[in-house]
Amino acid sequence: MIGFDRPIRPRWIYESLLLAEPGQKLAELNEPFGQIARELTGKEGKRKVRTVLFRCFLRDEQNRARVKKNLVMKDLSVKHGLAFMQPVYLFYLVARTDILKKISEHIFRLYDYGREIKASFLKAKMVDSFGERDVVIRSAGAFIKTLEHFNVVEKAGGKPILKKRLMVNEEQARIMLQFFALEVVMSPQISLNHLPEAIFNFFDLPDLKVVAQRYNGDWWEYQHRMADDYLIINF
């Protein structure tokens, strides 16, 4: 199992993307990342955060020593800025990291917004799923802290509270749906009525049928059927 050893801040993702160049050797970004993640002090902590962040956002799956040649996330970050991209980063991080999807499934099965996340209970549920391993226990704690950095969780009396969903506008929703099709399910067709809660329940989404109509013919083909609503994404 690939774990999630340390919390990640959205600013670290943003600044790493701005520095990266398509096809660049990832090793060339190691030292600059140390300056980006200045809140971290230890070498091991920086290495573990860097590994997770690079694997999710930068690494080319065909050549794992290099940055992706098609760095769409960087282009979006340059165009829109950190505040706009923050929900997109969280979406992408969860959607592309299996253990975070599993933790999210437990969170939304166990807790409602406005309620305390019982970290020890959540960790126990993860141990039930994956066994009592350090990587499992650390991942649950690191993800709760990451959600705090993204303003989904807040501390109240030292306890983590599932605070609120992140507001998402139509353009952000359009980007998420495209990434979901092309890089998560890897299919041009997705159902708007069966999006996985573990990924999308972190967000206060606009009416997706309105979004589907707005971008129909430009970014996808929208098909409304009796039983479902589908998008056929333009590659």
Side-chain angles (χ1 to χ4, degrees):
M1 176 199 299
I2 297 174
F4 187 80
D5 292 283
R6 296 290 190 280
I8 289 181
R9 295 174 182 263
R11 181 183 58 78
W12 297 346
I13 301 169
Y14 177 71
E15 294 187 13
S16 296
L17 285 163
L18 294 190
L19 278 179
E21 296 296 336
Q24 180 181 15
K25 290 182 180 178
L26 283 171
E28 294 175 1
L29 294 169
N30 290 351
E31 187 173 340
F33 183 78
Q35 299 302 312
I36 288 171
R38 50 186 175 271
E39 293 88 349
L40 297 172
T41 54
K43 274 188 175 181
E44 184 68 4
K46 288 185 179 183
R47 183 189 67 78
K48 288 184 174 182
V49 170
R50 186 180 70 229
T51 297
V52 171
L53 192 154
F54 286 13
R55 182 179 68 233
C56 183
F57 290 93
L58 297 178
R59 189 177 71 185
D60 187 327
E61 291 305 311
Q62 277 65 54
N63 186 346
R64 298 189 173 194
R66 293 189 177 272
V67 175
K68 299 174 184 179
K69 292 178 181 177
N70 188 15
L71 203 54
V72 175
M73 193 71 79
K74 174 177 180 172
D75 297 337
L76 291 168
S77 299
V78 170
K79 178 179 179 181
H80 294 292
L82 175 56
F84 177 96
M85 291 300 295
Q86 185 162 312
V88 178
Y89 293 157
L90 180 60
F91 160 81
Y92 198 76
L93 182 65
V94 174
R96 299 262 298 169
T97 309
D98 287 341
I99 195 165
L100 298 190
K101 283 189 284 188
K102 179 57 68 174
I103 297 170
S104 300
E105 287 174 7
H106 284 304
I107 287 175
F108 293 125
R109 186 165 62 249
L110 295 169
Y111 306 109
D112 294 323
Y113 279 93
R115 303 296 296 273
E116 176 191 348
I117 297 174
K118 303 281 189 181
S120 59
F121 188 63
L122 180 61
K123 290 174 183 179
K125 287 296 183 182
M126 289 299 294
V127 167
D128 288 345
S129 296
F130 294 105
E132 192 165 356
R133 300 163 60 185
D134 285 345
V135 65
V136 173
I137 296 169
R138 286 198 308 270
S139 293
F143 185 46
I144 292 172
K145 189 65 178 178
T146 297
L147 292 175
E148 189 178 338
H149 293 322
F150 277 87
N151 298 317
V152 174
V153 165
E154 69 176 354
K155 283 289 183 67
K159 299 175 181 179
I161 306 297
L162 192 59
K163 179 183 174 183
K164 63 179 181 179
R165 294 178 177 88
L166 296 180
M167 291 293 298
V168 170
N169 66 26
E170 291 182 353
E171 178 72 3
Q172 290 165 317
R174 188 271 298 171
I175 292 167
M176 289 178 180
L177 290 171
Q178 284 185 287
F179 275 130
F180 181 68
L182 303 182
E183 298 200 31
V184 180
V185 298
M186 297 181 184
S187 167
Q189 179 175 296
I190 58 173
S191 162
L192 292 182
N193 299 326
H194 297 91
L195 297 173
E197 183 181 64
I199 299 173
F200 286 91
N201 203 30
F202 291 108
F203 311 102
D204 188 350
L205 297 164
D207 187 328
L208 293 183
K209 292 181 183 179
V210 173
V211 175
Q213 289 282 13
R214 184 175 302 279
Y215 297 103
N216 187 37
D218 295 323
W219 295 100
W220 51 58
E221 178 188 344
Y222 173 39
Q223 296 183 359
H224 173 69
R225 304 175 192 172
M226 289 294 292
D228 210 340
D229 293 89
Y230 294 94
L231 300 182
I232 312 298
I233 308 293
N234 296 331
F235 280 86

